[in-house]
Each structure stands twice: as structure tokens, then as C-alpha cells.
């Protein structure tokens, strides 16, 4: 069974703080990892992709991947109220199989 | 990122009728398209995966005869909800992929009355 696990939250952080979102996956054959952001009533939007161990930074976002621990995380620095959304972790096993976690709801309080 | 267009964005239909939802990749050729359903405050549920020119692969518990998927070209996939019932009311979302990354359409909110 290919599973992707996330804490459902809600995760609440004050404006300007660092939000840390975590995800674990079950299949060691996983190749690609993604973070999507979904605002209420909208479809998911790709914000980060990561394929190799280590950190990948893009603006205020940093994705971290540890394949040995089967763990991927997303850090959001200087969190803004506009970052309030549900963040979905996605794990791709091959081009035909991408699995999503249940999502973590993040609230950034002004 | 790449653009995926989904149409219609909202549809209301009567119970027993069929509804077709289109998903188009506008600026790339999508070798794989995914169809999801999402109920309020719940996670995405993968319904099926389709590759151009071949039959869709449905997830366990998803009725093939009720949710017809056609992926006739590298830029278009359609989902037809046949004989819709109120319990089929949901947010249906497609995504399209030509490589590791997948991009989502805007979603279709289906209400069956």
C-alpha cells in the first residue's frame, strides 16, 4: 500500500513566524515529491518540487527531503496571512502514479 | 507552470442525467491525466488515471460504468458522470502531467438536484 501521511492540523502560527509542514511516505521506490497549496474552494497549486536528498529553496519556501527516513517537509519563512491554506504533500512513484496526503491546514494569524 | 483548463467550473444537473467535464492541457502535451474527487473539508481522492489512447485505470471502489473517462488526445481528457445522483455532488478536479510534475485544472463543482 502506497501511503502518504500528513498531520491534518490545524497548524496555527503568528505572522512572521516559520511554519513547518511534515510528510512521510511508505514506498521507498518513490521518485519525486511535491508540495501543493490549496485554498478553500479552489484546486491545488504546485508550489515546490524536490527530487533528491537535501534542501531546495524558492523564495520563502524550503522543501527538505530525506529518502532514508522517507520524510519530506516544507518550511515557510516569514509566514503571511495569505499563506493560510491547506498544504498537500504528493509523492510520485512513476509517471502514472501520484499519491496525495490528506493535507495540513495552516492558519497564519495577523 | 503549465496551464490546465477545466470546463465547466460549475454545473447543476437533475438527478438521472449525465454530465461531461473537459480537461485540457493548453501549452503542453499531457501523457497522463488524473481525475480526482473532493468532498468538503476532505482530501483529494484519486478516481482514475488515464493515458492518451488507452483505457483509464480506475481506483478501487470507483465505478467504471458510472464515471466514463476518455483521453482521446494528448491535450484533452473528459470525465462523464452518468446517471448522476445527489451523492455524486462534489468537486471534481483533473490534473495533467507530461513528466514528473502535475498541474491541476480549476475544478468543477457538480451539484445534482
Amino acid at each position: 500500500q502506497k501511503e502518504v501521511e500528513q498531520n491534518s492540523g490545524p497548524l496555527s502560527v503568528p505572522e512572521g513566524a516559520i511554519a513547518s509542514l511534515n510528510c512521510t511516505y511508505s514506498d521507498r521506490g518513490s521518485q519525486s515529491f511535491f508540495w501543493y497549496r490549496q485554498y478553500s474552494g479552489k484546486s491545488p497549486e504546485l508550489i515546490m518540487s524536490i527530487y533528491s536528498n537535501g534542501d531546495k529553496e524558492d523564495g520563502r519556501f524550503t522543501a527538505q527531503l530525506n529518502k532514508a527516513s522517507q520524510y519530506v517537509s516544507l518550511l515557510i519563512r516569514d509566514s503571511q496571512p495569505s499563506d493560510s491554506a491547506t498544504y498537500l504533500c504528493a509523492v510520485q512513484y512513476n509517471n502514472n502514479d501520484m499519491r496525495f496526503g490528506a493535507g495540513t491546514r495552516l492558519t497564519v494569524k495577523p | 507552470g503549465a496551464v490546465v483548463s477545466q470546463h465547466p467550473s460549475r454545473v447543476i444537473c437533475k438527478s438521472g442525467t449525465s454530465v461531461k467535464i473537459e480537461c485540457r492541457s493548453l501549452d503542453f502535451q499531457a501523457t497522463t491525466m488524473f481525475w480526482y474527487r473532493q468532498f468538503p473539508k476532505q482530501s483529494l481522492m484519486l478516481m482514475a488515471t488515464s493515458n492518451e489512447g488507452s483505457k483509464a485505470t480506475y481506483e478501487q471502489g470507483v465505478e467504471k460504468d458510472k464515471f466514463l473517462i476518455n483521453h482521446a488526445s494528448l491535450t484533452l481528457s473528459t470525465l462523464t458522470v452518468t446517471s448522476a445522483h445527489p451523492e455524486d455532488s462534489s468537486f471534481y478536479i483533473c490534473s495533467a502531467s507530461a513528466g514528473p510534475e502535475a498541474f491541476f485544472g480549476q475544478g468543477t463543482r457538480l451539484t445534482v438536484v
Side-chain angles (χ1 to χ4, degrees):
Chain A
Q1 186 78 1
K2 297 169 183 171
E3 295 182 349
V4 181
E5 300 285 344
Q6 292 181 256
N7 281 331
S8 62
L11 172 66
S12 182
V13 301
E15 184 175 356
I18 296 174
S20 177
L21 305 162
N22 304 314
C23 173
T24 59
Y25 58 95
S26 62
D27 194 322
R28 288 191 175 275
S30 305
Q31 300 171 350
S32 307
F33 307 86
F34 308 92
W35 284 99
Y36 288 81
R37 176 176 61 198
Q38 186 177 23
Y39 292 112
S40 181
K42 303 294 184 182
S43 65
E45 171 193 12
L46 179 65
I47 55 173
M48 288 288 283
S49 58
I50 187 166
Y51 306 105
S52 55
N53 280 329
D55 294 0
K56 178 181 178 182
E57 186 174 319
D58 184 0
R60 295 186 296 111
F61 299 100
T62 299
Q64 300 174 317
L65 174 62
N66 184 325
K67 289 187 177 181
S69 300
Q70 296 174 236
Y71 175 91
V72 57
S73 66
L74 179 70
L75 300 178
I76 306 175
R77 289 182 300 282
D78 188 23
S79 295
Q80 302 296 309
S82 59
D83 295 327
S84 298
T86 296
Y87 288 81
L88 301 169
C89 171
V91 176
Q92 188 177 59
Y93 300 93
N94 55 54
N95 281 350
N96 286 348
D97 195 352
M98 179 183 283
R99 302 284 163 163
F100 283 82
T104 299
R105 191 155 44 95
L106 172 67
T107 301
V108 181
K109 296 186 175 180
Chain B
V3 179
V4 177
S5 177
Q6 190 173 339
H7 179 80
S9 58
R10 289 180 179 272
V11 58
I12 300 173
C13 71
K14 291 185 177 180
S15 186
T17 62
S18 295
V19 173
K20 180 184 282 189
I21 302 169
E22 290 188 350
C23 181
R24 293 181 184 274
S25 56
L26 298 186
D27 53 1
F28 69 103
Q29 292 187 323
T31 50
T32 306
M33 287 191 174
F34 304 88
W35 286 96
Y36 298 87
R37 180 168 53 181
Q38 188 175 39
F39 293 105
K41 298 190 185 302
Q42 295 190 19
S43 62
L44 291 171
M45 292 173 50
L46 178 65
M47 299 175 68
T49 303
S50 74
N51 293 297
E52 184 263 341
S54 60
K55 290 184 178 180
T57 301
Y58 289 80
E59 292 297 296
Q60 192 172 4
V62 178
E63 300 174 57
K64 302 178 183 181
D65 295 332
K66 181 169 182 62
F67 299 100
L68 302 178
I69 292 172
N70 185 282
H71 192 164
S73 76
L74 285 171
T75 58
L76 174 64
S77 177
T78 60
L79 167 67
T80 302
V81 183
T82 63
S83 187
H85 289 101
E87 57 266 31
D88 298 323
S89 299
S90 187
F91 191 45
Y92 291 86
I93 317 174
C94 72
S95 72
S97 169
E101 295 180 344
F103 301 93
F104 283 85
Q106 304 94 317
T108 297
R109 190 160 304 282
L110 170 64
T111 303
V112 184
V113 298

